Coordinates of all heavy atoms in Angstrom, one line a residue:
Y66 N 74.3 67.4 69.8 CA 73.4 67.8 68.7 C 74.3 68.0 67.5 O 74.1 67.4 66.4 CB 72.7 69.1 69.0 CG 71.6 69.4 68.0 CD1 70.3 68.9 68.1 CD2 71.9 70.2 66.9 CE1 69.4 69.2 67.1 CE2 71.0 70.5 65.9 CZ 69.7 70.0 66.0 OH 68.8 70.2 65.1
S67 N 75.3 68.9 67.6 CA 76.2 69.1 66.5 C 77.5 69.7 67.0 O 77.5 70.6 67.9 CB 75.6 70.0 65.4 OG 76.5 70.2 64.3
G68 N 78.6 69.2 66.5 CA 79.9 69.7 67.0 C 80.4 71.0 66.3 O 80.0 71.3 65.2
D69 N 81.2 71.7 67.0 CA 81.8 73.0 66.4 C 82.9 72.6 65.4 O 83.5 71.5 65.5 CB 82.3 73.9 67.5 CG 81.2 74.4 68.4 OD1 80.1 74.5 67.9 OD2 81.5 74.6 69.6
D70 N 83.1 73.5 64.5 CA 84.3 73.4 63.5 C 84.2 72.2 62.7 O 85.3 71.6 62.3 CB 85.6 73.4 64.3 CG 85.8 74.7 65.2 OD1 85.3 75.8 64.7 OD2 86.3 74.6 66.3
L71 N 83.0 71.7 62.4 CA 82.9 70.6 61.4 C 82.4 71.1 60.1 O 81.6 72.1 60.0 CB 81.9 69.5 62.0 CG 82.3 68.7 63.2 CD1 81.1 67.9 63.7 CD2 83.5 67.9 62.9
P72 N 82.8 70.5 59.0 CA 82.4 71.0 57.7 C 80.9 70.9 57.4 O 80.3 71.7 56.7 CB 83.2 70.1 56.7 CG 83.5 68.9 57.5 CD 83.7 69.3 58.9
E73 N 80.2 69.9 58.1 CA 78.8 69.8 57.9 C 78.2 69.5 59.3 O 79.0 69.0 60.2 CB 78.5 68.6 57.0 CG 78.9 68.8 55.6 CD 78.7 67.6 54.7 OE1 78.9 66.5 55.2 OE2 78.3 67.8 53.5
M74 N 77.0 69.7 59.5 CA 76.3 69.5 60.8 C 76.4 68.0 61.1 O 76.1 67.1 60.3 CB 74.9 69.9 60.8 CG 74.6 71.4 60.8 SD 72.9 71.8 60.9 CE 72.5 71.1 62.6
A75 N 77.0 67.7 62.3 CA 77.1 66.3 62.8 C 77.3 66.3 64.2 O 78.1 67.1 64.8 CB 78.2 65.6 62.0
G76 N 76.7 65.4 64.9 CA 76.9 65.2 66.4 C 78.2 64.5 66.7 O 78.4 63.4 66.1
L77 N 78.9 64.9 67.7 CA 80.1 64.2 68.1 C 79.7 63.4 69.3 O 78.7 63.5 69.9 CB 81.2 65.2 68.5 CG 81.7 66.1 67.4 CD1 82.8 67.1 67.9 CD2 82.3 65.3 66.2
F78 N 80.7 62.5 69.7 CA 80.5 61.6 70.9 C 81.5 62.1 71.9 O 82.7 62.0 71.7 CB 80.7 60.2 70.5 CG 79.8 59.7 69.3 CD1 80.4 59.5 68.1 CD2 78.4 59.7 69.5 CE1 79.6 59.1 67.0 CE2 77.6 59.3 68.4 CZ 78.2 59.0 67.2
Q79 N 81.0 62.5 73.0 CA 81.8 63.0 74.1 C 82.0 62.0 75.2 O 81.0 61.3 75.6 CB 81.2 64.3 74.7 CG 80.9 65.4 73.7 CD 82.1 66.2 73.2 OE1 83.2 66.1 73.8 NE2 81.9 67.0 72.2
V80 N 83.3 61.8 75.7 CA 83.5 60.9 76.8 C 84.2 61.6 77.9 O 85.1 62.4 77.7 CB 84.4 59.7 76.3 CG1 84.7 58.8 77.4 CG2 83.8 59.0 75.1
L81 N 83.7 61.4 79.1 CA 84.4 61.8 80.3 C 85.1 60.6 80.9 O 84.4 59.7 81.5 CB 83.4 62.4 81.3 CG 82.9 63.9 81.1 CD1 81.9 63.9 79.9 CD2 82.3 64.4 82.3
W82 N 86.4 60.5 80.6 CA 87.1 59.3 81.0 C 87.2 59.3 82.5 O 87.6 60.3 83.2 CB 88.5 59.3 80.4 CG 88.5 59.2 78.9 CD1 88.8 60.2 78.0 CD2 88.1 58.1 78.1 NE1 88.6 59.8 76.7 CE2 88.2 58.5 76.7 CE3 87.6 56.8 78.4 CZ2 87.9 57.6 75.7 CZ3 87.3 56.0 77.3 CH2 87.5 56.4 76.0
G83 N 87.0 58.1 83.2 CA 87.0 58.0 84.6 C 88.4 58.0 85.1 O 89.3 57.4 84.5
K84 N 88.6 58.6 86.3 CA 89.9 58.6 87.0 C 89.9 57.5 88.1 O 88.9 57.1 88.6 CB 90.2 59.9 87.6 CG 90.3 61.1 86.7 CD 90.5 62.4 87.5 CE 90.6 63.6 86.6 NZ 90.8 64.8 87.3
K85 N 91.1 57.0 88.3 CA 91.3 56.0 89.4 C 90.9 56.6 90.7 O 91.4 57.7 91.0 CB 92.7 55.5 89.4 CG 93.0 54.3 90.4 CD 94.4 53.8 90.3 CE 94.6 52.7 91.3 NZ 96.0 52.1 91.2
G86 N 90.1 56.0 91.5 CA 89.7 56.5 92.8 C 88.5 57.5 92.7 O 88.0 58.0 93.7
G87 N 87.9 57.6 91.5 CA 86.7 58.5 91.4 C 87.0 59.8 90.6 O 88.2 60.2 90.4
G88 N 86.0 60.4 90.1 CA 86.1 61.6 89.4 C 86.3 61.3 87.9 O 86.6 60.2 87.5
F89 N 86.2 62.4 87.1 CA 86.3 62.3 85.6 C 87.2 63.4 85.0 O 87.3 64.5 85.6 CB 84.9 62.3 85.0 CG 84.0 61.2 85.5 CD1 83.2 61.5 86.7 CD2 83.9 60.0 84.9 CE1 82.3 60.5 87.1 CE2 83.1 59.0 85.4 CZ 82.3 59.2 86.5
R90 N 87.7 63.1 83.9 CA 88.5 64.1 83.1 C 87.5 65.0 82.4 O 86.3 64.7 82.3 CB 89.5 63.4 82.2 CG 90.5 62.6 82.9 CD 91.5 62.0 81.8 NE 92.6 61.3 82.5 CZ 92.6 60.0 82.7 NH1 91.5 59.3 82.4 NH2 93.6 59.4 83.3
K91 N 88.0 66.0 81.8 CA 87.1 66.9 81.0 C 86.6 66.1 79.7 O 87.3 65.2 79.3 CB 87.9 68.1 80.5 CG 88.3 69.1 81.7 CD 89.1 70.3 81.2 CE 89.4 71.2 82.3 NZ 90.2 72.4 81.8
P92 N 85.5 66.6 79.2 CA 84.9 65.9 78.0 C 85.9 65.9 76.9 O 86.6 66.8 76.6 CB 83.7 66.7 77.7 CG 83.3 67.4 78.9 CD 84.6 67.7 79.7
D93 N 86.0 64.7 76.2 CA 86.9 64.5 75.1 C 86.2 63.9 73.9 O 85.6 62.8 74.1 CB 88.0 63.6 75.6 CG 89.1 63.4 74.5 OD1 89.2 64.2 73.6 OD2 89.8 62.3 74.6
P94 N 86.1 64.6 72.8 CA 85.4 64.0 71.6 C 86.1 62.8 71.2 O 87.3 62.7 71.0 CB 85.5 65.1 70.6 CG 85.8 66.4 71.3 CD 86.6 66.0 72.5
L95 N 85.3 61.7 70.9 CA 85.8 60.5 70.5 C 86.4 60.6 69.0 O 85.7 61.2 68.2 CB 84.8 59.4 70.5 CG 84.7 58.5 71.7 CD1 83.6 57.5 71.5 CD2 86.0 57.8 72.1
K96 N 87.5 60.0 68.7 CA 88.0 60.0 67.4 C 88.1 58.5 66.9 O 88.3 57.6 67.7 CB 89.4 60.6 67.3 CG 89.4 62.1 67.6 CD 90.7 62.8 67.5 CE 90.7 64.3 67.7 NZ 92.0 64.9 67.6
G97 N 88.0 58.3 65.6 CA 88.1 57.0 65.1 C 89.6 56.6 65.0 O 90.5 57.4 65.3
T98 N 89.8 55.4 64.5 CA 91.2 54.9 64.4 C 92.0 55.7 63.3 O 93.2 55.5 63.1 CB 91.2 53.4 64.1 OG1 90.3 53.1 63.0 CG2 90.8 52.7 65.3
D99 N 91.2 56.5 62.5 CA 91.9 57.3 61.5 C 92.3 58.7 62.0 O 92.9 59.5 61.3 CB 91.0 57.5 60.3 CG 89.7 58.2 60.6 OD1 89.4 58.5 61.8 OD2 88.9 58.5 59.7
G100 N 92.1 58.9 63.3 CA 92.5 60.2 63.9 C 91.5 61.3 63.7 O 91.7 62.4 64.3
K101 N 90.4 61.1 63.0 CA 89.4 62.1 62.8 C 88.2 61.9 63.8 O 88.0 60.8 64.3 CB 88.9 62.1 61.4 CG 90.0 62.3 60.3 CD 89.4 62.2 58.9 CE 90.5 62.5 57.9 NZ 90.0 62.4 56.5
F102 N 87.4 63.0 64.0 CA 86.3 62.9 64.8 C 85.3 61.8 64.4 O 85.1 61.6 63.2 CB 85.5 64.2 64.9 CG 86.2 65.3 65.6 CD1 86.4 66.6 65.0 CD2 86.7 65.1 66.9 CE1 87.0 67.6 65.6 CE2 87.3 66.2 67.5 CZ 87.5 67.4 66.9
L103 N 84.8 61.0 65.3 CA 83.9 59.9 65.0 C 82.5 60.5 64.8 O 81.9 61.1 65.7 CB 83.9 58.9 66.2 CG 83.4 57.5 65.9 CD1 84.4 56.8 64.9 CD2 83.3 56.7 67.2
I104 N 82.0 60.4 63.6 CA 80.7 60.9 63.3 C 79.9 59.9 62.4 O 80.5 59.1 61.7 CB 80.7 62.3 62.5 CG1 81.5 62.2 61.2 CG2 81.3 63.4 63.4 CD1 81.4 63.5 60.4
I105 N 78.6 60.0 62.4 CA 77.8 59.1 61.6 C 78.0 59.6 60.1 O 78.0 60.8 59.8 CB 76.3 59.2 61.9 CG1 76.1 58.6 63.3 CG2 75.4 58.6 60.9 CD1 74.6 58.8 63.8
T106 N 78.2 58.6 59.2 CA 78.5 59.0 57.8 C 77.4 58.2 57.0 O 77.7 57.1 56.5 CB 79.9 58.6 57.4 OG1 80.1 57.2 57.8 CG2 80.9 59.4 58.1
P107 N 76.2 58.8 56.8 CA 75.2 58.1 56.0 C 75.6 57.9 54.6 O 76.5 58.5 54.1 CB 74.0 59.1 56.0 CG 74.3 60.0 57.2 CD 75.8 60.1 57.3
E108 N 75.0 56.9 54.0 CA 75.4 56.5 52.6 C 75.2 57.7 51.7 O 76.0 57.9 50.8 CB 74.6 55.3 52.1 CG 74.9 54.0 52.9 CD 74.2 54.0 54.2 OE1 73.4 54.9 54.6 OE2 74.4 53.0 55.0
K109 N 74.1 58.4 51.8 CA 73.8 59.6 51.0 C 73.3 60.7 51.8 O 72.6 60.5 52.8 CB 72.7 59.2 50.0 CG 73.2 58.1 49.0 CD 72.0 57.8 48.0 CE 72.4 56.7 47.0 NZ 71.3 56.4 46.1
L110 N 73.7 61.9 51.4 CA 73.2 63.1 52.1 C 72.3 63.8 51.1 O 72.4 63.7 49.9 CB 74.3 64.1 52.5 CG 75.1 63.6 53.7 CD1 76.3 64.5 53.9 CD2 74.3 63.5 55.0
G111 N 71.3 64.6 51.6 CA 70.4 65.3 50.7 C 69.0 64.9 50.9 O 68.6 64.5 52.1
K112 N 68.2 64.9 49.9 CA 66.7 64.6 50.1 C 66.5 63.2 50.6 O 65.6 62.9 51.3 CB 66.0 64.9 48.8 CG 66.0 66.4 48.4 CD 65.2 66.6 47.2 CE 65.1 68.0 46.8 NZ 64.3 68.3 45.5
T113 N 67.3 62.2 50.1 CA 67.0 60.8 50.4 C 67.5 60.4 51.8 O 67.0 59.5 52.4 CB 67.7 59.9 49.4 OG1 69.1 60.1 49.4 CG2 67.1 60.1 48.0
D114 N 68.5 61.1 52.3 CA 69.1 60.8 53.6 C 69.6 62.1 54.2 O 70.8 62.4 54.2 CB 70.1 59.7 53.6 CG 70.3 59.1 54.9 OD1 69.8 59.6 55.9 OD2 71.1 58.1 55.0
P115 N 68.7 63.0 54.7 CA 69.1 64.3 55.1 C 70.1 64.3 56.4 O 70.3 63.3 57.0 CB 67.8 65.0 55.4 CG 66.9 63.9 55.8 CD 67.3 62.7 55.0
V116 N 70.5 65.5 56.7 CA 71.4 65.7 57.8 C 70.9 65.2 59.1 O 71.7 65.0 60.1 CB 71.8 67.2 57.9 CG1 70.7 68.0 58.4 CG2 73.1 67.4 58.7
T117 N 69.6 65.0 59.2 CA 69.0 64.5 60.5 C 69.5 63.2 60.9 O 69.4 62.8 62.0 CB 67.5 64.5 60.4 OG1 67.1 63.8 59.2 CG2 66.9 65.9 60.4
S118 N 70.1 62.4 59.9 CA 70.7 61.2 60.3 C 71.9 61.3 61.2 O 72.3 60.4 61.9 CB 71.1 60.4 59.0 OG 70.0 60.1 58.2
R119 N 72.6 62.4 61.1 CA 73.9 62.5 61.8 C 73.9 63.6 62.9 O 75.0 63.9 63.4 CB 75.0 62.8 60.8 CG 74.8 64.0 59.9 CD 75.6 64.0 58.7 NE 77.1 63.9 59.0 CZ 78.0 63.9 58.0 NH1 77.7 64.0 56.8 NH2 79.3 63.9 58.3
I120 N 72.8 64.2 63.3 CA 72.8 65.1 64.4 C 71.9 64.6 65.5 O 71.2 63.6 65.4 CB 72.2 66.5 63.9 CG1 70.8 66.4 63.4 CG2 73.1 67.1 62.8 CD1 70.1 67.7 63.1
C121 N 72.0 65.2 66.7 CA 71.4 64.8 67.9 C 71.7 63.4 68.2 O 70.8 62.5 68.4 CB 69.9 65.0 67.8 SG 69.0 65.1 69.3
T122 N 73.0 63.0 68.2 CA 73.4 61.7 68.4 C 73.2 61.2 69.8 O 73.4 62.0 70.8 CB 74.9 61.5 68.0 OG1 75.7 62.5 68.7 CG2 75.1 61.7 66.5
R123 N 72.8 59.9 70.0 CA 72.6 59.4 71.3 C 73.2 58.0 71.4 O 72.5 57.0 71.0 CB 71.1 59.4 71.6 CG 70.4 60.7 71.6 CD 69.0 60.7 72.0 NE 68.4 62.0 72.0 CZ 68.4 62.9 73.0 NH1 69.0 62.5 74.1 NH2 67.8 64.0 72.9
P124 N 74.4 57.9 71.9 CA 75.1 56.6 71.8 C 75.0 55.7 73.1 O 74.7 56.2 74.2 CB 76.6 57.0 71.7 CG 76.6 58.3 72.5 CD 75.3 58.9 72.4
T125 N 75.2 54.4 72.9 CA 75.4 53.5 74.0 C 76.4 52.5 73.5 O 76.6 52.2 72.3 CB 74.0 52.8 74.3 OG1 74.2 52.1 75.6 CG2 73.6 51.8 73.3

Side-chain angles (χ1 to χ4, degrees):
Y66 190 90
S67 183
D69 296 331
D70 302 322
L71 292 174
E73 296 174 322
M74 287 184 68
L77 299 178
F78 307 108
Q79 307 282 347
V80 180
L81 284 74
W82 299 108
K84 298 179 181 179
K85 187 176 181 179
F89 299 91
R90 298 185 177 90
K91 292 181 179 179
D93 183 23
L95 270 181
K96 294 182 179 180
T98 51
D99 60 356
K101 298 178 181 180
F102 290 128
L103 201 65
I104 60 174
I105 294 174
T106 52
E108 294 79 7
K109 296 179 182 179
L110 290 175
K112 292 182 179 179
T113 58
D114 200 350
V116 72
T117 50
S118 295
R119 59 196 301 180
I120 62 174
C121 199
T122 52
R123 299 181 180 275
T125 190

